[in-house]
Amino acid sequence: MHFQSGVGDYANFYYNFMLKQQLQKEMTEALKAGNQLKRLVLGSLITAVKNKELAKRGQVGKTTNDTKELEEKSRLTEQEVLETIASEVKKRKDSIDQFQKGGRNDLAEKEKAEAEILSAYLPEQLSEEDVRHQIQVIIEELGATSQKEMGKVIGAAMGKLKGRADGGLVSKITKEILSE
């Protein structure tokens, strides 16, 4: 469901509109099919996106009183929507770890199923090999030679790989390469 949109307000509006329509449609289909888990996950995702829009609207509202401008500026960009979805996936992955540590594999499996549903709305993730290659290029570009520069490398890598690579994997690979 990931759209590659061009730059501009219309592209972001269109992406946002299409994503919301798609999520709503799939939530209704899940409800009709009796897929309670998918319905709940998509409902929580729609709520998370709306909450982020409201938070953005609150910030924008401090700078303008024009209703039309407020509405336009409070719409999430494609990147912000993807960040919201990625954040929801990360929450599920963190919960999986906690439930497994606590011996609650039943709850860990539920969280894993939720993460899989949400991941379908993210761009395809890069393989570990591709992430390693990208980080190697960034390290060469920055001239980083030690772990002291790890923060600079991770920052640049996350900016370049945003939404396509897990932050934990980026950190792990950066540390490995800079330790060599």
Side-chain angles (χ1 to χ4, degrees), residues 75-108:
R75 282 189 202 119
L76 298 183
T77 63
E78 177 181 356
Q79 188 62 38
E80 289 169 325
V81 173
L82 292 175
E83 287 170 4
T84 303
I85 297 169
S87 173
E88 291 297 309
V89 170
K90 185 177 182 337
K91 287 178 191 175
R92 283 6 181 246
K93 288 182 177 181
D94 291 344
S95 294
I96 291 168
D97 290 341
Q98 293 301 314
F99 285 137
Q100 286 176 337
K101 288 177 184 174
R104 296 296 310 266
N105 291 331
D106 56 326
L107 294 175

PDB file of all heavy atoms in Angstrom, residues 75-108:
ATOM      1  N   ARG A  75      -2.165  18.376   8.384  1.00  0.00           N
ATOM      2  CA  ARG A  75      -2.158  17.070   7.711  1.00  0.00           C
ATOM      3  C   ARG A  75      -0.760  16.462   7.835  1.00  0.00           C
ATOM      4  O   ARG A  75       0.242  17.153   7.697  1.00  0.00           O
ATOM      5  CB  ARG A  75      -2.483  17.213   6.234  1.00  0.00           C
ATOM      6  CG  ARG A  75      -3.924  17.400   5.951  1.00  0.00           C
ATOM      7  CD  ARG A  75      -4.174  17.300   4.446  1.00  0.00           C
ATOM      8  NE  ARG A  75      -5.421  17.978   4.162  1.00  0.00           N
ATOM      9  CZ  ARG A  75      -5.545  19.032   3.378  1.00  0.00           C
ATOM     10  NH1 ARG A  75      -4.494  19.539   2.771  1.00  0.00           N
ATOM     11  NH2 ARG A  75      -6.717  19.583   3.183  1.00  0.00           N
ATOM     12  N   LEU A  76      -0.729  15.172   8.043  1.00  0.00           N
ATOM     13  CA  LEU A  76       0.556  14.489   8.122  1.00  0.00           C
ATOM     14  C   LEU A  76       1.128  14.282   6.731  1.00  0.00           C
ATOM     15  O   LEU A  76       0.396  14.027   5.783  1.00  0.00           O
ATOM     16  CB  LEU A  76       0.398  13.133   8.815  1.00  0.00           C
ATOM     17  CG  LEU A  76      -0.091  13.137  10.253  1.00  0.00           C
ATOM     18  CD1 LEU A  76      -0.111  11.716  10.798  1.00  0.00           C
ATOM     19  CD2 LEU A  76       0.743  14.028  11.137  1.00  0.00           C
ATOM     20  N   THR A  77       2.436  14.371   6.636  1.00  0.00           N
ATOM     21  CA  THR A  77       3.111  14.056   5.380  1.00  0.00           C
ATOM     22  C   THR A  77       3.204  12.539   5.268  1.00  0.00           C
ATOM     23  O   THR A  77       2.978  11.810   6.239  1.00  0.00           O
ATOM     24  CB  THR A  77       4.536  14.636   5.350  1.00  0.00           C
ATOM     25  OG1 THR A  77       5.309  14.011   6.388  1.00  0.00           O
ATOM     26  CG2 THR A  77       4.535  16.147   5.525  1.00  0.00           C
ATOM     27  N   GLU A  78       3.554  12.083   4.090  1.00  0.00           N
ATOM     28  CA  GLU A  78       3.741  10.643   3.888  1.00  0.00           C
ATOM     29  C   GLU A  78       4.762  10.110   4.893  1.00  0.00           C
ATOM     30  O   GLU A  78       4.556   9.063   5.509  1.00  0.00           O
ATOM     31  CB  GLU A  78       4.216  10.371   2.455  1.00  0.00           C
ATOM     32  CG  GLU A  78       4.510   8.911   2.191  1.00  0.00           C
ATOM     33  CD  GLU A  78       5.009   8.651   0.772  1.00  0.00           C
ATOM     34  OE1 GLU A  78       5.067   9.586  -0.047  1.00  0.00           O
ATOM     35  OE2 GLU A  78       5.353   7.498   0.510  1.00  0.00           O
ATOM     36  N   GLN A  79       5.854  10.842   5.071  1.00  0.00           N
ATOM     37  CA  GLN A  79       6.902  10.415   5.993  1.00  0.00           C
ATOM     38  C   GLN A  79       6.374  10.322   7.424  1.00  0.00           C
ATOM     39  O   GLN A  79       6.689   9.388   8.150  1.00  0.00           O
ATOM     40  CB  GLN A  79       8.095  11.382   5.924  1.00  0.00           C
ATOM     41  CG  GLN A  79       9.306  10.918   6.701  1.00  0.00           C
ATOM     42  CD  GLN A  79       9.868   9.602   6.194  1.00  0.00           C
ATOM     43  OE1 GLN A  79       9.904   9.338   5.006  1.00  0.00           O
ATOM     44  NE2 GLN A  79      10.290   8.752   7.102  1.00  0.00           N
ATOM     45  N   GLU A  80       5.560  11.277   7.833  1.00  0.00           N
ATOM     46  CA  GLU A  80       5.009  11.255   9.192  1.00  0.00           C
ATOM     47  C   GLU A  80       4.055  10.082   9.389  1.00  0.00           C
ATOM     48  O   GLU A  80       4.032   9.471  10.462  1.00  0.00           O
ATOM     49  CB  GLU A  80       4.294  12.579   9.500  1.00  0.00           C
ATOM     50  CG  GLU A  80       5.240  13.746   9.661  1.00  0.00           C
ATOM     51  CD  GLU A  80       4.540  15.087   9.703  1.00  0.00           C
ATOM     52  OE1 GLU A  80       3.524  15.281   9.004  1.00  0.00           O
ATOM     53  OE2 GLU A  80       5.034  15.970  10.456  1.00  0.00           O
ATOM     54  N   VAL A  81       3.291   9.747   8.366  1.00  0.00           N
ATOM     55  CA  VAL A  81       2.393   8.585   8.450  1.00  0.00           C
ATOM     56  C   VAL A  81       3.226   7.309   8.575  1.00  0.00           C
ATOM     57  O   VAL A  81       2.953   6.451   9.421  1.00  0.00           O
ATOM     58  CB  VAL A  81       1.445   8.516   7.235  1.00  0.00           C
ATOM     59  CG1 VAL A  81       0.647   7.215   7.253  1.00  0.00           C
ATOM     60  CG2 VAL A  81       0.505   9.705   7.214  1.00  0.00           C
ATOM     61  N   LEU A  82       4.264   7.210   7.758  1.00  0.00           N
ATOM     62  CA  LEU A  82       5.129   6.026   7.822  1.00  0.00           C
ATOM     63  C   LEU A  82       5.831   5.930   9.176  1.00  0.00           C
ATOM     64  O   LEU A  82       5.986   4.832   9.725  1.00  0.00           O
ATOM     65  CB  LEU A  82       6.152   6.050   6.684  1.00  0.00           C
ATOM     66  CG  LEU A  82       5.575   5.870   5.287  1.00  0.00           C
ATOM     67  CD1 LEU A  82       6.666   6.046   4.234  1.00  0.00           C
ATOM     68  CD2 LEU A  82       4.898   4.518   5.134  1.00  0.00           C
ATOM     69  N   GLU A  83       6.237   7.066   9.727  1.00  0.00           N
ATOM     70  CA  GLU A  83       6.856   7.070  11.053  1.00  0.00           C
ATOM     71  C   GLU A  83       5.867   6.586  12.113  1.00  0.00           C
ATOM     72  O   GLU A  83       6.249   5.876  13.042  1.00  0.00           O
ATOM     73  CB  GLU A  83       7.353   8.470  11.409  1.00  0.00           C
ATOM     74  CG  GLU A  83       8.588   8.890  10.653  1.00  0.00           C
ATOM     75  CD  GLU A  83       8.940  10.362  10.838  1.00  0.00           C
ATOM     76  OE1 GLU A  83       8.272  11.082  11.622  1.00  0.00           O
ATOM     77  OE2 GLU A  83       9.893  10.809  10.179  1.00  0.00           O
ATOM     78  N   THR A  84       4.609   6.961  11.970  1.00  0.00           N
ATOM     79  CA  THR A  84       3.584   6.535  12.910  1.00  0.00           C
ATOM     80  C   THR A  84       3.399   5.017  12.830  1.00  0.00           C
ATOM     81  O   THR A  84       3.336   4.336  13.855  1.00  0.00           O
ATOM     82  CB  THR A  84       2.243   7.256  12.626  1.00  0.00           C
ATOM     83  OG1 THR A  84       2.463   8.665  12.689  1.00  0.00           O
ATOM     84  CG2 THR A  84       1.188   6.861  13.630  1.00  0.00           C
ATOM     85  N   ILE A  85       3.330   4.502  11.615  1.00  0.00           N
ATOM     86  CA  ILE A  85       3.176   3.052  11.442  1.00  0.00           C
ATOM     87  C   ILE A  85       4.398   2.333  12.004  1.00  0.00           C
ATOM     88  O   ILE A  85       4.274   1.347  12.733  1.00  0.00           O
ATOM     89  CB  ILE A  85       2.966   2.691   9.958  1.00  0.00           C
ATOM     90  CG1 ILE A  85       1.672   3.326   9.437  1.00  0.00           C
ATOM     91  CG2 ILE A  85       2.925   1.168   9.776  1.00  0.00           C
ATOM     92  CD1 ILE A  85       1.490   3.255   7.928  1.00  0.00           C
ATOM     93  N   ALA A  86       5.588   2.836  11.692  1.00  0.00           N
ATOM     94  CA  ALA A  86       6.826   2.220  12.187  1.00  0.00           C
ATOM     95  C   ALA A  86       6.863   2.251  13.713  1.00  0.00           C
ATOM     96  O   ALA A  86       7.312   1.286  14.356  1.00  0.00           O
ATOM     97  CB  ALA A  86       8.045   2.929  11.613  1.00  0.00           C
ATOM     98  N   SER A  87       6.379   3.326  14.302  1.00  0.00           N
ATOM     99  CA  SER A  87       6.334   3.438  15.758  1.00  0.00           C
ATOM    100  C   SER A  87       5.407   2.379  16.356  1.00  0.00           C
ATOM    101  O   SER A  87       5.727   1.762  17.380  1.00  0.00           O
ATOM    102  CB  SER A  87       5.854   4.834  16.150  1.00  0.00           C
ATOM    103  OG  SER A  87       5.646   4.921  17.535  1.00  0.00           O
ATOM    104  N   GLU A  88       4.283   2.149  15.702  1.00  0.00           N
ATOM    105  CA  GLU A  88       3.345   1.126  16.176  1.00  0.00           C
ATOM    106  C   GLU A  88       3.962  -0.272  16.063  1.00  0.00           C
ATOM    107  O   GLU A  88       3.792  -1.107  16.948  1.00  0.00           O
ATOM    108  CB  GLU A  88       2.032   1.193  15.389  1.00  0.00           C
ATOM    109  CG  GLU A  88       1.216   2.443  15.664  1.00  0.00           C
ATOM    110  CD  GLU A  88       0.746   2.549  17.110  1.00  0.00           C
ATOM    111  OE1 GLU A  88       0.165   1.586  17.629  1.00  0.00           O
ATOM    112  OE2 GLU A  88       0.986   3.607  17.734  1.00  0.00           O
ATOM    113  N   VAL A  89       4.707  -0.514  14.985  1.00  0.00           N
ATOM    114  CA  VAL A  89       5.387  -1.803  14.823  1.00  0.00           C
ATOM    115  C   VAL A  89       6.441  -1.972  15.915  1.00  0.00           C
ATOM    116  O   VAL A  89       6.563  -3.034  16.527  1.00  0.00           O
ATOM    117  CB  VAL A  89       6.031  -1.930  13.413  1.00  0.00           C
ATOM    118  CG1 VAL A  89       6.931  -3.162  13.327  1.00  0.00           C
ATOM    119  CG2 VAL A  89       4.956  -1.981  12.341  1.00  0.00           C
ATOM    120  N   LYS A  90       7.194  -0.904  16.179  1.00  0.00           N
ATOM    121  CA  LYS A  90       8.239  -0.950  17.202  1.00  0.00           C
ATOM    122  C   LYS A  90       7.640  -1.255  18.572  1.00  0.00           C
ATOM    123  O   LYS A  90       8.200  -2.039  19.345  1.00  0.00           O
ATOM    124  CB  LYS A  90       9.018   0.358  17.241  1.00  0.00           C
ATOM    125  CG  LYS A  90      10.192   0.327  18.217  1.00  0.00           C
ATOM    126  CD  LYS A  90      10.978   1.611  18.164  1.00  0.00           C
ATOM    127  CE  LYS A  90      12.179   1.665  19.047  1.00  0.00           C
ATOM    128  NZ  LYS A  90      12.260   0.822  20.186  1.00  0.00           N
ATOM    129  N   LYS A  91       6.508  -0.652  18.884  1.00  0.00           N
ATOM    130  CA  LYS A  91       5.837  -0.935  20.159  1.00  0.00           C
ATOM    131  C   LYS A  91       5.533  -2.418  20.274  1.00  0.00           C
ATOM    132  O   LYS A  91       5.716  -3.020  21.335  1.00  0.00           O
ATOM    133  CB  LYS A  91       4.527  -0.145  20.276  1.00  0.00           C
ATOM    134  CG  LYS A  91       4.701   1.325  20.521  1.00  0.00           C
ATOM    135  CD  LYS A  91       3.336   2.007  20.566  1.00  0.00           C
ATOM    136  CE  LYS A  91       3.453   3.512  20.542  1.00  0.00           C
ATOM    137  NZ  LYS A  91       2.133   4.168  20.473  1.00  0.00           N
ATOM    138  N   ARG A  92       5.049  -2.997  19.163  1.00  0.00           N
ATOM    139  CA  ARG A  92       4.723  -4.432  19.179  1.00  0.00           C
ATOM    140  C   ARG A  92       5.986  -5.272  19.381  1.00  0.00           C
ATOM    141  O   ARG A  92       5.991  -6.222  20.147  1.00  0.00           O
ATOM    142  CB  ARG A  92       4.048  -4.852  17.876  1.00  0.00           C
ATOM    143  CG  ARG A  92       2.586  -4.538  17.599  1.00  0.00           C
ATOM    144  CD  ARG A  92       1.860  -3.715  18.548  1.00  0.00           C
ATOM    145  NE  ARG A  92       0.471  -3.476  18.239  1.00  0.00           N
ATOM    146  CZ  ARG A  92      -0.035  -2.289  17.941  1.00  0.00           C
ATOM    147  NH1 ARG A  92       0.746  -1.229  17.822  1.00  0.00           N
ATOM    148  NH2 ARG A  92      -1.329  -2.148  17.764  1.00  0.00           N
ATOM    149  N   LYS A  93       7.064  -4.902  18.697  1.00  0.00           N
ATOM    150  CA  LYS A  93       8.313  -5.668  18.824  1.00  0.00           C
ATOM    151  C   LYS A  93       8.871  -5.576  20.243  1.00  0.00           C
ATOM    152  O   LYS A  93       9.374  -6.563  20.780  1.00  0.00           O
ATOM    153  CB  LYS A  93       9.340  -5.185  17.802  1.00  0.00           C
ATOM    154  CG  LYS A  93       8.989  -5.607  16.390  1.00  0.00           C
ATOM    155  CD  LYS A  93      10.034  -5.161  15.389  1.00  0.00           C
ATOM    156  CE  LYS A  93       9.685  -5.658  13.999  1.00  0.00           C
ATOM    157  NZ  LYS A  93      10.672  -5.271  13.003  1.00  0.00           N
ATOM    158  N   ASP A  94       8.787  -4.395  20.854  1.00  0.00           N
ATOM    159  CA  ASP A  94       9.231  -4.243  22.243  1.00  0.00           C
ATOM    160  C   ASP A  94       8.391  -5.114  23.165  1.00  0.00           C
ATOM    161  O   ASP A  94       8.917  -5.752  24.086  1.00  0.00           O
ATOM    162  CB  ASP A  94       9.145  -2.776  22.688  1.00  0.00           C
ATOM    163  CG  ASP A  94      10.159  -1.885  21.984  1.00  0.00           C
ATOM    164  OD1 ASP A  94      11.120  -2.423  21.380  1.00  0.00           O
ATOM    165  OD2 ASP A  94       9.994  -0.648  22.038  1.00  0.00           O
ATOM    166  N   SER A  95       7.092  -5.156  22.909  1.00  0.00           N
ATOM    167  CA  SER A  95       6.194  -5.981  23.726  1.00  0.00           C
ATOM    168  C   SER A  95       6.518  -7.456  23.558  1.00  0.00           C
ATOM    169  O   SER A  95       6.469  -8.215  24.531  1.00  0.00           O
ATOM    170  CB  SER A  95       4.731  -5.732  23.348  1.00  0.00           C
ATOM    171  OG  SER A  95       4.355  -4.419  23.668  1.00  0.00           O
ATOM    172  N   ILE A  96       6.849  -7.866  22.340  1.00  0.00           N
ATOM    173  CA  ILE A  96       7.210  -9.267  22.092  1.00  0.00           C
ATOM    174  C   ILE A  96       8.379  -9.658  22.982  1.00  0.00           C
ATOM    175  O   ILE A  96       8.357 -10.696  23.653  1.00  0.00           O
ATOM    176  CB  ILE A  96       7.552  -9.501  20.605  1.00  0.00           C
ATOM    177  CG1 ILE A  96       6.287  -9.371  19.746  1.00  0.00           C
ATOM    178  CG2 ILE A  96       8.200 -10.866  20.397  1.00  0.00           C
ATOM    179  CD1 ILE A  96       6.556  -9.292  18.245  1.00  0.00           C
ATOM    180  N   ASP A  97       9.416  -8.821  23.003  1.00  0.00           N
ATOM    181  CA  ASP A  97      10.597  -9.096  23.832  1.00  0.00           C
ATOM    182  C   ASP A  97      10.219  -9.214  25.307  1.00  0.00           C
ATOM    183  O   ASP A  97      10.645 -10.144  25.991  1.00  0.00           O
ATOM    184  CB  ASP A  97      11.652  -7.994  23.666  1.00  0.00           C
ATOM    185  CG  ASP A  97      12.313  -8.006  22.298  1.00  0.00           C
ATOM    186  OD1 ASP A  97      12.240  -9.041  21.609  1.00  0.00           O
ATOM    187  OD2 ASP A  97      12.903  -6.971  21.925  1.00  0.00           O
ATOM    188  N   GLN A  98       9.412  -8.283  25.772  1.00  0.00           N
ATOM    189  CA  GLN A  98       9.013  -8.292  27.186  1.00  0.00           C
ATOM    190  C   GLN A  98       8.181  -9.525  27.527  1.00  0.00           C
ATOM    191  O   GLN A  98       8.381 -10.146  28.574  1.00  0.00           O
ATOM    192  CB  GLN A  98       8.225  -7.013  27.529  1.00  0.00           C
ATOM    193  CG  GLN A  98       9.053  -5.754  27.476  1.00  0.00           C
ATOM    194  CD  GLN A  98      10.239  -5.793  28.418  1.00  0.00           C
ATOM    195  OE1 GLN A  98      10.113  -6.171  29.574  1.00  0.00           O
ATOM    196  NE2 GLN A  98      11.407  -5.422  27.920  1.00  0.00           N
ATOM    197  N   PHE A  99       7.247  -9.861  26.668  1.00  0.00           N
ATOM    198  CA  PHE A  99       6.397 -11.032  26.926  1.00  0.00           C
ATOM    199  C   PHE A  99       7.210 -12.318  26.889  1.00  0.00           C
ATOM    200  O   PHE A  99       6.987 -13.224  27.690  1.00  0.00           O
ATOM    201  CB  PHE A  99       5.240 -11.105  25.930  1.00  0.00           C
ATOM    202  CG  PHE A  99       4.149 -10.100  26.189  1.00  0.00           C
ATOM    203  CD1 PHE A  99       3.583  -9.400  25.136  1.00  0.00           C
ATOM    204  CD2 PHE A  99       3.691  -9.844  27.472  1.00  0.00           C
ATOM    205  CE1 PHE A  99       2.577  -8.468  25.367  1.00  0.00           C
ATOM    206  CE2 PHE A  99       2.693  -8.924  27.717  1.00  0.00           C
ATOM    207  CZ  PHE A  99       2.137  -8.235  26.655  1.00  0.00           C
ATOM    208  N   GLN A 100       8.176 -12.418  25.973  1.00  0.00           N
ATOM    209  CA  GLN A 100       9.014 -13.612  25.909  1.00  0.00           C
ATOM    210  C   GLN A 100       9.881 -13.735  27.160  1.00  0.00           C
ATOM    211  O   GLN A 100      10.044 -14.825  27.693  1.00  0.00           O
ATOM    212  CB  GLN A 100       9.868 -13.599  24.646  1.00  0.00           C
ATOM    213  CG  GLN A 100       9.059 -13.897  23.398  1.00  0.00           C
ATOM    214  CD  GLN A 100       9.864 -13.785  22.120  1.00  0.00           C
ATOM    215  OE1 GLN A 100      10.885 -13.106  22.054  1.00  0.00           O
ATOM    216  NE2 GLN A 100       9.378 -14.445  21.072  1.00  0.00           N
ATOM    217  N   LYS A 101      10.405 -12.613  27.630  1.00  0.00           N
ATOM    218  CA  LYS A 101      11.206 -12.626  28.856  1.00  0.00           C
ATOM    219  C   LYS A 101      10.361 -13.043  30.054  1.00  0.00           C
ATOM    220  O   LYS A 101      10.856 -13.670  30.985  1.00  0.00           O
ATOM    221  CB  LYS A 101      11.829 -11.258  29.118  1.00  0.00           C
ATOM    222  CG  LYS A 101      12.955 -10.918  28.181  1.00  0.00           C
ATOM    223  CD  LYS A 101      13.492  -9.522  28.424  1.00  0.00           C
ATOM    224  CE  LYS A 101      14.546  -9.168  27.401  1.00  0.00           C
ATOM    225  NZ  LYS A 101      14.984  -7.773  27.504  1.00  0.00           N
ATOM    226  N   GLY A 102       9.085 -12.672  30.023  1.00  0.00           N
ATOM    227  CA  GLY A 102       8.172 -13.003  31.111  1.00  0.00           C
ATOM    228  C   GLY A 102       7.514 -14.364  30.956  1.00  0.00           C
ATOM    229  O   GLY A 102       6.661 -14.736  31.764  1.00  0.00           O
ATOM    230  N   GLY A 103       7.889 -15.112  29.912  1.00  0.00           N
ATOM    231  CA  GLY A 103       7.331 -16.442  29.710  1.00  0.00           C
ATOM    232  C   GLY A 103       5.897 -16.432  29.197  1.00  0.00           C
ATOM    233  O   GLY A 103       5.183 -17.421  29.326  1.00  0.00           O
ATOM    234  N   ARG A 104       5.469 -15.326  28.622  1.00  0.00           N
ATOM    235  CA  ARG A 104       4.101 -15.223  28.102  1.00  0.00           C
ATOM    236  C   ARG A 104       4.124 -15.314  26.574  1.00  0.00           C
ATOM    237  O   ARG A 104       3.855 -14.355  25.876  1.00  0.00           O
ATOM    238  CB  ARG A 104       3.449 -13.906  28.546  1.00  0.00           C
ATOM    239  CG  ARG A 104       3.235 -13.745  30.020  1.00  0.00           C
ATOM    240  CD  ARG A 104       2.245 -14.778  30.602  1.00  0.00           C
ATOM    241  NE  ARG A 104       0.991 -14.892  29.868  1.00  0.00           N
ATOM    242  CZ  ARG A 104      -0.120 -14.247  30.156  1.00  0.00           C
ATOM    243  NH1 ARG A 104      -0.149 -13.434  31.190  1.00  0.00           N
ATOM    244  NH2 ARG A 104      -1.205 -14.417  29.433  1.00  0.00           N
ATOM    245  N   ASN A 105       4.431 -16.501  26.083  1.00  0.00           N
ATOM    246  CA  ASN A 105       4.539 -16.702  24.640  1.00  0.00           C
ATOM    247  C   ASN A 105       3.212 -16.507  23.918  1.00  0.00           C
ATOM    248  O   ASN A 105       3.192 -16.136  22.750  1.00  0.00           O
ATOM    249  CB  ASN A 105       5.133 -18.076  24.331  1.00  0.00           C
ATOM    250  CG  ASN A 105       6.598 -18.150  24.727  1.00  0.00           C
ATOM    251  OD1 ASN A 105       7.296 -17.141  24.719  1.00  0.00           O
ATOM    252  ND2 ASN A 105       7.055 -19.326  25.090  1.00  0.00           N
ATOM    253  N   ASP A 106       2.092 -16.748  24.611  1.00  0.00           N
ATOM    254  CA  ASP A 106       0.782 -16.532  23.997  1.00  0.00           C
ATOM    255  C   ASP A 106       0.593 -15.063  23.635  1.00  0.00           C
ATOM    256  O   ASP A 106       0.154 -14.721  22.528  1.00  0.00           O
ATOM    257  CB  ASP A 106      -0.335 -17.015  24.927  1.00  0.00           C
ATOM    258  CG  ASP A 106      -0.267 -16.358  26.308  1.00  0.00           C
ATOM    259  OD1 ASP A 106       0.847 -16.074  26.799  1.00  0.00           O
ATOM    260  OD2 ASP A 106      -1.347 -16.145  26.912  1.00  0.00           O
ATOM    261  N   LEU A 107       0.952 -14.176  24.552  1.00  0.00           N
ATOM    262  CA  LEU A 107       0.827 -12.742  24.290  1.00  0.00           C
ATOM    263  C   LEU A 107       1.879 -12.278  23.281  1.00  0.00           C
ATOM    264  O   LEU A 107       1.616 -11.385  22.469  1.00  0.00           O
ATOM    265  CB  LEU A 107       0.950 -11.951  25.589  1.00  0.00           C
ATOM    266  CG  LEU A 107      -0.188 -12.173  26.593  1.00  0.00           C
ATOM    267  CD1 LEU A 107       0.092 -11.435  27.889  1.00  0.00           C
ATOM    268  CD2 LEU A 107      -1.520 -11.744  26.003  1.00  0.00           C
ATOM    269  N   ALA A 108       3.058 -12.894  23.322  1.00  0.00           N
ATOM    270  CA  ALA A 108       4.107 -12.553  22.355  1.00  0.00           C
ATOM    271  C   ALA A 108       3.646 -12.894  20.940  1.00  0.00           C
ATOM    272  O   ALA A 108       3.881 -12.122  19.999  1.00  0.00           O
ATOM    273  CB  ALA A 108       5.401 -13.297  22.679  1.00  0.00           C
TER     274      ALA A 108
END
